[in-house]
Amino acid sequence: MANLLEEIQEGVINGQAPRVKELTQTALDQGMGPQTVLNEGLVPAMAVVGEKFQKGEFFISEMMISARAMYSGLNLVKPLLLSQKAESKGKAVVATVQGDLHDIGKNLVCMMMEGGGYEVVDLGVNATPDKFVAAVKEHRPDFVMMSALLTTTMANMGKTIQALSDNGLRANLKIGIGGAPVTQRFADSIGADFYAADAGEAVTKANMLISK
Ligand code: B1M
């Protein structure tokens, strides 16, 4: 079983979408849990891809091909995570912030929140503060969750919180942030209600806050 997870990782790193799809299906057929496939196979592979990019061993094209391979496995895991869904506990507006096109982590947050029993409004990537404001006015969510993968786009999380405050929408909202460069300290500095290191923690923290 451990070998299968290593092979999934290798498949993602090497950008082999059909192989990752096949290996993911085999792992699930053999009874491996969808969370294990996700957290020990698909997700860690992307960290290796990032290291390779940083060292100049991978270019953007390779990062994109790896992302596509990751999605070929993720698409098989997704319905299984969602089937554990319970009745709606609350609503979350989720997006990757302005200037940022990374969507894998954001999609995992959407998936885990849905699987955890929340209604999710996914605004996609490159979401401007105005887009968040409009979505909060329209959907009246309990949570706003923002993702940023670039140090240059993290500042747009603070700008979004400011825009929500300026529009009188901050008081009834719980705002959570995450993404590779984001930290608890940064969350505190911009006045977010919580930081989550991964999508599972986003659900745990949402559960803690919704019951308060
Ligand atoms: Co880009 N990229 N990328 N990239 N990319 C990174 C982020 C980078 C760290 C790579 C590196 O240099 N090592 C680097 C950023 C450096 C920095 O700012 N410090 C980088 C760069 C530089 C860039 C470009 C600028 C490259 C260029 O054009 N020169 C460019 C920017 C484009 C843009 O956004 N404007 C770019 C482009 C791309 C691709 C399009 C090729 C592709 C994205 C494809 C896609 O998303 N569909 C891509 C990829 C794949 C990566 C890496 C390799 C992988 C990201 C990923 O999907 N990780 C990444 C390296 C890395 O992160 N180590 C890298 C897996 C994912 C599951 O993790 O998103 O962190 P993550 O989500 C986690 C947690 O962070 C958390 O939950 C998830 C796990 O459960 N989480 C949340 C995320 N959001 C949350 C929100 C929450 C809570 C938790 O709310 C409450």
Side-chain angles (χ1 to χ4, degrees):
M1 283 290 221
N3 279 349
L4 209 45
L5 290 169
E6 279 168 24
E7 284 182 60
I8 290 173
Q9 289 191 20
E10 273 173 28
V12 172
I13 296 162
N14 296 328
Q16 298 163 303
R19 181 157 172 72
V20 171
K21 187 176 175 189
E22 193 187 310
L23 289 166
T24 301
Q25 192 58 60
T26 305
L28 295 171
D29 290 346
Q30 288 184 7
M32 198 180 281
Q35 292 277 9
T36 307
V37 178
L38 186 65
N39 294 330
E40 294 175 35
L42 297 166
V43 170
M46 295 311 287
V48 177
V49 172
E51 281 162 26
K52 286 187 177 290
F53 177 73
Q54 216 157 14
K55 285 189 210 151
E57 291 170 17
F58 268 20
F59 295 105
I60 297 175
S61 51
E62 276 115 346
M63 277 209 286
M64 289 179 85
I65 293 166
S66 287
R68 192 177 62 194
M70 155 116 192
Y71 271 117
S72 74
L74 202 58
N75 289 337
L76 293 176
V77 167
K78 183 175 176 179
L80 299 173
L81 291 175
L82 295 186
S83 68
Q84 293 160 10
K85 192 172 176 175
E87 70 184 60
S88 178
K89 290 183 201 161
K91 200 188 279 182
V93 162
V94 185
T96 303
V97 296
Q98 185 171 17
D100 203 318
L101 304 176
H102 295 85
D103 68 358
I104 297 176
K106 182 270 295 172
N107 286 341
L108 286 179
V109 171
C110 289
M111 212 183 279
M112 296 298 286
M113 284 293 287
E114 278 186 60
Y118 290 89
E119 198 182 324
V120 171
V121 180
D122 180 359
L123 303 183
V125 297
N126 192 22
T128 60
D130 285 350
K131 192 166 183 182
F132 277 100
V133 166
V136 170
K137 281 183 181 164
E138 182 183 347
H139 299 286
R140 297 283 158 192
D142 305 282
F143 298 99
V144 162
M145 295 187 171
M146 292 184 264
S147 181
L149 267 287
L150 300 172
T151 42
T152 47
T153 57
M154 283 166 69
N156 294 331
M157 294 177 146
K159 287 181 186 161
T160 302
I161 295 179
Q162 189 58 53
L164 291 166
S165 297
D166 292 347
N167 283 274
L169 299 167
R170 179 70 181 91
N172 297 322
L173 271 181
K174 298 290 179 203
I175 299 179
I177 63 171
V182 177
T183 59
Q184 179 64 55
R185 198 165 165 187
F186 178 71
D188 294 340
S189 76
I190 62 168
D193 295 300
F194 67 99
Y195 156 74
D198 58 43
E201 195 177 314
V203 181
T204 312
K205 292 206 167 160
N207 287 343
M208 277 160 50
L209 289 164
I210 202 101
S211 58
K212 277 188 183 165

